[in-house]
């Protein structure tokens, strides 16, 4: 289907449905079959000699270079990312971030990582990259002057995340990327939260966008995968480095990711709608000090979200007003429809307690705007359950927390 002449002009939801469904890969059925293959066979020595070049995509060579199931996923991811020449897939989101870093950075380089990055990204900076002689400097994405001041002639790459992990503030991604480019550094955006449907990163000036496909694209909490998309020159470097690292994704998982991708649009729309309704309800609650949900007007960075984003998702946080660690944990333990677990982006709702102060160096937590007593946070990943049922569940958990507080 994506071999239609005008495919690239079609709307995002149509691209989600048709991307990667080339006749030569699907044959007579709707989905590209699962090609479980290590060995690709050649007719004769002449065909072997005419095999694809060292870094050529989309032609049979050997299993490490994938087969039509993985190629279809890469093509579908490329089609939904405006400005992308190609997408590379990795066995997890963290592997995608590592793959990108190991492509862009050399010993002696400096990388700037946002202070509110996903925690394993931070540890990659202070651990693996430091071991390789690369210097990591954390920056506050809300302080553009300080960020600009951190660049030096060894700064090769910048890692951006929007909204920030746990605390969910939205930063000025186009401006962070513009400054990086002006300083000769490559900008990389972890775009897992919005996906290209909600934020067209490459179009907004970012050089490489990364997604944990584990979350929304998989969408069903049953697979781990990541991706990186870029324009031609960077894409070719990423593709080559991933090949050198021996990175390959199983065709079964690629087929699951493709299945998830087809419904990504409607799931994101539904989740974001429910999340905003829950966020608005939480804002009226006496137990809540602040709701950190980019789609909500009172949330930090909402103006930038409204300016740059075309969608959201079900992941957001809120801070309890006063209370103790015990109160917060009672609230979470009393929930029935929100299961306790890391990850998000599946069909089911999840909850985790958050302690942003433990995962940052320079951004204050709690922020000064919040009273110092209001420090215990909760992160919700809103799934596809009925929003009325989810609100009722939160309501009864607040009641359980209050009851325990008063001992009544
Ligand atoms: C989960 C996540 C990742 C890592 O993805 P995995 O597939 O779990 O390795 C990276 N970035 C963000 C923002 C995430 O939420």
């Amino acid at each position: 289907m994506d071999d239609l002449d005008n495919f690239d002009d079609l709307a995002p939801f149509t691209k989600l449905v048709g991307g990667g469904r080339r006749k030569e890969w699907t044959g007579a059925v709707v989905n590209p079959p699962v090609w479980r293959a290590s060995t690709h066979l050649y007719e004769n020595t002449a065909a072997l000699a005419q095999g694809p070049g060292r870094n050529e995509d989309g032609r049979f060579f050997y299993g490490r270079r994938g087969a039509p199931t993985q190629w279809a996923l890469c093509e579908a991811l490329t089609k939904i990312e405006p400005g992308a020449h190609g997408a590379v897939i990795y066995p997890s989101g963290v592997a995608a971030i590592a793959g990108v870093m190991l492509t862009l950075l050399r010993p002696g380089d400096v990388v700037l990582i946002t202070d509110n990055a996903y925690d394993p990204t931070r540890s990659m900076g202070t651990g693996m990259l430091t071991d390789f002689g690369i210097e990591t400097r954390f920056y506050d994405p809300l302080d553009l002057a300080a960020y600009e001041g951190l660049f030096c002639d060894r700064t090769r790459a910048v890692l951006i995340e929007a909204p920030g992990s746990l605390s969910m503030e939205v930063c000025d991604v186009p401006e962070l990327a513009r400054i990086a480019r002006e300083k000769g550094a490559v900008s990389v955006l972890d775009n897992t939260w919005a996906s290209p449907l909600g934020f067209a990163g490459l179009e907004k000036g970012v050089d490489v966008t990364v997604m944990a496909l584990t979350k929304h694209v998989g969408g069903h909490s049953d697979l781990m995968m990541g991706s990186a998309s870029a324009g031609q020159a960077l894409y070719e470097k990423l593709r080559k480095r991933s090949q050198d690292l021996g990175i390959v994704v199983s065709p079964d998982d690629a087929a699951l990711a493709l299945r998830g991708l087809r419904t990504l649009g409607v799931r994101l729309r539904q989740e974001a709608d429910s999340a905003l309704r829950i966020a608005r309800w939480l804002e009226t609650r006496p137990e809540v000090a602040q709701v950190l949900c980019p789609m909500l007007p009172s949330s930090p960075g909402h103006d930038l979200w409204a300016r740059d984003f075309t969608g959201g998702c079900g992941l957001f946080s809120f801070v309890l007003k006063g209370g103790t660690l015990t109160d917060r944990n009672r609230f979470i333990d009393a929930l029935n429809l929100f299961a306790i677990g890391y990850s998000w982006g599946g069909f089911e709702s999840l909850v985790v307690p958050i302690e942003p102060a433990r995962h940052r160096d320079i951004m204050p937590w709690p922020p000064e705007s919040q009273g110092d007593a209001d420090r215990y946070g909760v992160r919700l990943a809103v799934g596809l359950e009925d929003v009325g049922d989810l609100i009722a569940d939160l309501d009864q958990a607040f009641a359980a927390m209050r009851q325990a507080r008063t001992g009544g």
Side-chain angles (χ1 to χ4, degrees):
M1 194 172 160
D2 79 0
D3 30 23
L4 285 173
D5 284 344
N6 66 340
F7 192 81
D8 291 335
D9 303 329
L10 300 172
F13 276 37
T14 314
K15 289 182 180 168
L16 284 175
V17 169
R21 285 174 50 209
R22 281 197 218 178
K23 191 98 182 145
E24 62 182 289
W25 295 338
T26 56
V29 298
V30 173
N31 295 293
V34 175
W35 291 65
R36 282 202 194 86
S38 61
T39 310
H40 298 163
L41 301 175
Y42 298 83
E43 278 300 311
N44 48 41
T45 51
L48 185 71
Q50 285 162 14
R54 264 178 63 68
N55 199 23
E56 202 177 317
D57 289 327
R59 286 180 65 198
F60 286 112
F61 175 66
Y62 173 64
R64 205 185 308 113
R65 209 130 0 129
T69 324
Q70 294 97 328
W71 302 340
L73 174 60
C74 292
E75 183 163 290
L77 291 168
T78 307
K79 295 285 182 191
I80 61 164
E81 178 85 53
H85 179 80
V88 181
I89 48 175
Y90 300 83
S92 70
V94 164
I97 296 165
V100 171
M101 293 296 161
L102 293 176
T103 305
L104 299 177
L105 299 166
R106 306 279 174 278
D109 288 350
V110 173
V111 59
L112 306 186
I113 297 183
T114 185
D115 200 37
N116 56 4
Y118 179 62
D119 199 47
T121 304
R122 292 180 56 92
S123 348
M124 202 183 293
T126 52
M128 178 179 77
L129 297 181
T130 303
D131 289 348
F132 291 165
I134 294 152
E135 186 189 331
T136 295
R137 296 181 187 171
F138 292 106
Y139 68 92
D140 177 346
L142 306 182
D143 185 345
L144 291 170
Y147 162 78
E148 193 161 358
L150 280 177
F151 283 83
C152 66
D153 56 9
R154 294 183 294 122
T155 309
R156 208 67 60 216
V158 170
L159 196 127
I160 309 168
E161 198 172 314
S165 206
L166 310 179
S167 46
M168 308 302 296
E169 56 282 275
V170 182
C171 58
D172 191 340
V173 182
E175 188 59 9
L176 292 165
R178 189 195 63 75
I179 294 170
R181 185 163 296 183
E182 189 181 281
K183 303 280 186 184
V186 175
S187 57
V188 181
L189 171 70
D190 184 332
N191 199 28
T192 303
W193 186 85
S195 90
L197 267 60
F199 185 77
L202 300 180
E203 237 176 25
K204 299 272 182 198
V206 170
D207 296 312
V208 181
T209 55
V210 173
M211 257 195 299
L213 306 183
T214 307
K215 311 290 167 52
H216 288 128
V217 171
H220 296 73
S221 307
D222 53 6
L223 79 113
M224 303 286 298
M225 207 182 292
S227 67
S229 303
Q232 186 164 2
L234 279 168
Y235 163 73
E236 281 169 7
K237 285 185 186 165
L238 292 166
R239 180 71 186 77
K240 174 69 168 64
R241 182 55 44 101
S242 115
Q243 200 169 300
D244 290 344
L245 288 166
I247 285 171
V248 64
V249 160
S250 99
D252 300 81
D253 286 346
L256 283 177
L258 272 170
R259 167 182 288 213
L261 191 72
R262 305 302 177 203
T263 58
L264 176 68
V266 283
R267 284 186 289 105
L268 281 176
R269 191 184 265 174
Q270 178 65 36
E271 269 184 29
D273 186 58
S274 295
L276 183 56
R277 285 173 65 181
I278 293 172
R280 290 213 155 102
W281 177 81
L282 285 169
E283 214 176 18
T284 67
R285 295 294 308 199
E287 300 88 346
V288 173
Q290 197 178 10
V291 183
L292 307 167
C293 174
M295 296 89 82
L296 188 72
S298 63
S299 188
H302 169 78
D303 291 352
L304 292 168
W305 178 82
R307 186 191 73 183
D308 294 337
F309 287 61
T310 49
C313 73
L315 187 79
F316 72 97
S317 303
F318 62 94
V319 184
L320 290 174
K321 186 175 281 177
T324 62
L325 184 65
T326 311
D327 291 333
R328 193 262 310 272
N329 293 347
R330 270 197 193 111
F331 168 75
I332 290 177
D333 289 339
L335 290 165
N336 296 313
L337 296 179
F338 292 83
I340 301 169
Y342 293 113
S343 201
W344 44 283
F347 55 82
E348 81 293 6
S349 291
L350 294 172
V351 59
V352 280
I354 58 168
E355 318 281 350
R358 287 167 53 184
H359 311 286
R360 49 203 62 186
D361 290 345
I362 42 181
M363 296 176 81
W365 183 269
E368 278 145 31
S369 60
Q370 244 163 256
D372 195 42
D374 304 332
R375 49 189 325 110
Y376 295 108
V378 176
R379 189 184 75 178
L380 300 179
V382 175
L384 301 177
E385 301 89 344
D386 180 86
V387 67
D389 286 343
L390 293 177
I391 289 175
D393 193 33
L394 293 162
D395 194 26
Q396 66 78 27
F398 279 134
M401 181 181 84
R402 278 196 318 268
Q403 210 165 36
R405 253 185 206 173
T406 56

